[in-house]
Amino acid sequence: MRERQILDAAVQVFSRYGYHPASMDEVSEVAGVSKPMIYAYLGSKEDLFTHCIRRESARLLDAVAAGIRPELAPDMQLWHGLRSFYRFVHEYRDSWTVLHRQALAVGGTFADEINQLRQQAIELVAVLVKSAGSRAELADQVQKSGEGLAVALVGAAESLADWWIDHPSVTEGMLASWLMNLVWLGFNDLVEGKLWTPSDPAA
Amino acid sequence: MRERQILDAAVQVFSRYGYHPASMDEVSEVAGVSKPMIYAYLGSKEDLFTHCIRRESARLLDAVAAGIRPELAPDMQLWHGLRSFYRFVHEYRDSWTVLHRQALAVGGTFADEINQLRQQAIELVAVLVKSAGSRAELADQVQKSGEGLAVALVGAAESLADWWIDHPSVTEGMLASWLMNLVWLGFNDLVEGKLWTPSDPAA
Amino acid sequence: MRERQILDAAVQVFSRYGYHPASMDEVSEVAGVSKPMIYAYLGSKEDLFTHCIRRESARLLDAVAAGIRPELAPDMQLWHGLRSFYRFVHEYRDSWTVLHRQALAVGGTFADEINQLRQQAIELVAVLVKSAGSRAELADQVQKSGEGLAVALVGAAESLADWWIDHPSVTEGMLASWLMNLVWLGFNDLVEGKLWTPSDPAA
Amino acid sequence: MRERQILDAAVQVFSRYGYHPASMDEVSEVAGVSKPMIYAYLGSKEDLFTHCIRRESARLLDAVAAGIRPELAPDMQLWHGLRSFYRFVHEYRDSWTVLHRQALAVGGTFADEINQLRQQAIELVAVLVKSAGSRAELADQVQKSGEGLAVALVGAAESLADWWIDHPSVTEGMLASWLMNLVWLGFNDLVEGKLWTPSDPAA
DNA sequence: AATGAATGAGGTTTCATTCAT
DNA sequence: TATGAATGAAACCTCATTCAT
């Protein structure tokens, strides 16, 4: 459909230049569609950007959700989720850039939408952490900081995604491994020679 | 001096609107200085932004460096560094926003400067990790992923800084604690009831 | 076409104020076209001025070339060329002003273009002088100063064109006559009562 | 005196950039005097330019007048006047540029002043022509075109002056010679081998 | 349904000119 | 007296947005 064609172009252009410097002229050129069409289908520049964010957010959520196996152990769920996330970032780099970099920089409504998306990711992670801890009684302080831990983990994952752009030789499995080792085992264990490995290496 | 007055205003305005939407008119209004003065003291808009980034980068580095005690154990150094970092973010929120959000979004030279700053932080952390691991022989895979771990830790710290803005009731000590627990102990230990605490609680 | 409409206005405005003081606002007002149209059709102010110069140069060359009859005697060719020139100056005064006064004053690329135009005129005249002199052997010194004589003649013609603006009662035929008498006969002959007159008065 | 220092700088700057693009900042810099001083001594930019024109006009007139020997024959007077003129142009190129190119381009009052100067030159030449012709009865048509001839001669002289800038190997004597041959003898005589030479070669 | 053509509004930058010292 | 410091005004240029076809 025309709408998709336009959105694809918009994501590409917004990703490259950012919201404000991006020009509707360039979007129309890349989309191969005249400007009045853009306004007819998607509304103003602001509307267009909102549509971009919404579509890419949904894509990202779908991609991650599709990778998770709820029947597995918490650490394996996290592991699969991370790999799905990095596969998405790899395949739709422009989407990721728009969501993570450009939308937040604009602030206002856009940043709010992105923060909601992040919140969903954080809560998803928080559930995993909680279920992992349900075997034992988590220390009080940990209980309280549950969300904080999730925020940190999500942030770490995002930063590695950015860093990946400049270090493309790394695979998405390595990225996910590092994170698992870092947050599941911690430095403390690492220096003692422990390593986290997927219980199901084939996955 | 006039220069500082202008830079303060510029950081504030760039932080709020981002580089492109920010107008020199608004900078001049906030600074209480006419536009030609800005051009006389700091040059073009691009120059002005560069000056902002440079000054705030230096401030951030100084703040973190000032908080580190090289004679302490690695984990304590990290702990102090993180607290200094969060104190800086708290005290100079606009500086942090300009550096972390706006400069990266603009891309080009600006993003390069920020990435250099990040790289410095990452290397600093990498040194700590290495010194912590020197007691034992780090697993090969850890050796290779050293920088990745540091990237992840730095990213986690940054994300928590952003998240803090929307959750101001948390203290900088709590943020640092969470991170220490997360990366030093890891979930694995946490669920077993272990907790990381500063060896020198007074610090 | 729109382009012509804009160029006409630009020539008028540049002619009146000169390149630098002329404002794109005024050009757009005179052209009855909004400023963005000017930039869309003709580019920057510099581009616009270049287009003006090019068009008017071509017009001037065409006008003079159209008036010359190559089959006539050299003096008659000069006579006709001069009259064509003055007719052009009369009909397109703004064009002449832009070419002769404003473009030269700006210097740089503009002046270069004008000087090339002048050079063409000079060479044209030089050819006439040479063909007139071919019947006899021109004195050596004359040979060497051929271009200088042409420069002087062209300059004299230009100056009379300027002077004409303030003395509009004179006809273009009179101007051409004076020049012919001056350069073809010279004062020396004039004071002896000689006069140059077109051999074909009807022309 | 301060005034002279400023005027020298102004002539230099106006000559190089033209009236409008020239900046008071540059004048003050070249003059080694602060801007408020310029305003105190010479008034506004317009006033400053007027002063420049007036001073250089006077200089030019003086230079030419000083070279003329009223007791000589008319052609010799013209010859001496032309050489003085070219010597002035050579020695004070900036003055000449300001007067001939820049002032006329600005138009308005400035052009008027320059035109008055030209008129003086023209009348001076017209007197010579008239005195040369007084021996015989000039043809009626010549009488009427007297001023026109003078205008043409002056224009030719000016154009050669401009042309000289790009052909510096020519001497001022050659320039004056060409003009004398052109206007005093005319092409007609030149092709017959006649040449005008100063009756007093030492001069 | 689709677009070429057009513009109002606003942004960066410069410069003649003047206070306060 | 002489100047460093300051600004109001205006110029060039661009872009989101809309008619008329």
Side-chain angles (χ1 to χ4, degrees), chain B residues 28-109:
Chain B
S28 96
E29 203 172 328
V30 170
V33 165
S34 72
K35 262 189 300 179
M37 279 299 93
I38 300 181
Y39 283 86
Y41 280 96
L42 278 311
S44 70
K45 190 185 186 182
E46 198 172 327
D47 292 340
L48 177 59
F49 196 55
T50 302
H51 278 270
C52 287
I53 290 181
R54 297 251 169 88
R55 190 183 72 164
E56 305 310 326
S57 289
R59 267 189 184 168
L60 173 53
L61 280 180
D62 286 354
V64 172
I68 291 188
R69 308 277 157 72
E71 72 277 11
L72 298 183
D75 60 339
M76 287 307 291
Q77 286 193 47
L78 187 54
W79 158 257
H80 283 304
L82 285 171
R83 288 190 51 189
S84 298
F85 168 63
Y86 287 118
R87 274 197 297 266
F88 174 86
V89 169
H90 179 66
E91 190 168 2
Y92 302 101
R93 177 166 307 173
D94 289 345
S95 309
W96 173 246
T97 303
V98 167
L99 291 175
H100 179 55
R101 180 116 315 146
Q102 307 301 359
L104 279 173
V106 177
T109 317

Side-chain angles (χ1 to χ4, degrees), chain C residues 9-119:
Chain C
V11 167
Q12 184 180 328
V13 171
F14 283 135
S15 144
R16 179 149 54 219
Y17 301 104
Y19 175 69
H20 281 287
S23 81
M24 296 300 269
D25 268 311
E26 181 138 6
V27 173
S28 96
E29 204 172 328
V30 170
V33 165
S34 72
K35 260 189 303 177
M37 280 299 93
I38 301 181
Y39 284 87
Y41 280 97
L42 278 311
S44 71
K45 190 185 186 183
E46 198 171 325
D47 292 340
L48 177 59
F49 196 56
T50 302
H51 278 270
C52 287
I53 290 182
R54 297 250 169 89
R55 190 183 72 163
E56 304 311 325
S57 289
R59 266 190 185 166
L60 173 53
L61 279 181
D62 286 353
V64 172
I68 290 188
R69 308 277 158 72
E71 72 277 11
L72 299 182
D75 59 339
M76 287 307 291
Q77 286 193 49
L78 187 54
W79 158 256
H80 280 110
L82 286 170
R83 288 190 51 189
S84 298
F85 168 64
Y86 287 118
R87 274 197 298 267
F88 174 86
V89 169
H90 178 68
E91 191 167 1
Y92 302 101
R93 178 166 306 173
D94 289 345
S95 308
W96 173 246
T97 303
V98 167
L99 290 176
H100 179 55
R101 181 115 316 145
Q102 306 300 0
L104 279 173
V106 177
T109 316
F110 302 132
D112 289 350
E113 297 226 12
I114 298 301
N115 280 327
Q116 284 176 23
L117 178 64
R118 279 176 58 104
Q119 196 56 32

Side-chain angles (χ1 to χ4, degrees), chain D residues 14 21 36 40-42 57 70 81 83 86 95 112 117 138 163 165 184 193:
Chain D
F14 283 135
Y41 278 95
L42 278 311
S57 288
R83 289 189 52 188
Y86 286 119
S95 308
D112 289 349
L117 176 64
L138 282 177
W163 178 86
I165 293 175
W184 213 259

Side-chain angles (χ1 to χ4, degrees), chain A residues 20-21 101-102 104-105 115 118 129 132-133 136 138 141-142 145 147-149 151-152 155-156 158-160 163 178-179 182-191 195, chain B residues 20-21 101-102 104-105 118 129 132-133 136 138 141-142 145 147-149 151-152 155-156 158-160 163 166 178-179 182-191 195:
Chain A
H20 279 284
R101 179 116 313 146
Q102 307 301 1
L104 280 173
N115 281 327
R118 278 174 59 102
V129 172
L138 281 178
Q141 191 171 344
V142 177
S145 65
E147 192 186 0
L149 292 178
V151 169
E158 289 172 352
S159 287
L160 272 179
W163 177 85
W178 295 345
L179 274 175
L182 177 65
V183 304
W184 214 260
L185 289 186
F187 278 141
N188 196 40
D189 294 332
L190 290 177
V191 300
L195 262 191
Chain B
H20 281 287
R101 180 116 315 146
Q102 307 301 359
L104 279 173
R118 278 175 59 101
V129 173
L138 282 177
Q141 191 170 345
V142 176
S145 64
E147 191 185 359
L149 292 179
V151 169
E158 290 172 353
S159 287
L160 272 179
W163 176 84
D166 295 327
W178 296 344
L179 273 175
L182 178 65
V183 303
W184 214 261
L185 289 186
F187 278 141
N188 196 41
D189 295 332
L190 289 178
V191 300
L195 261 190

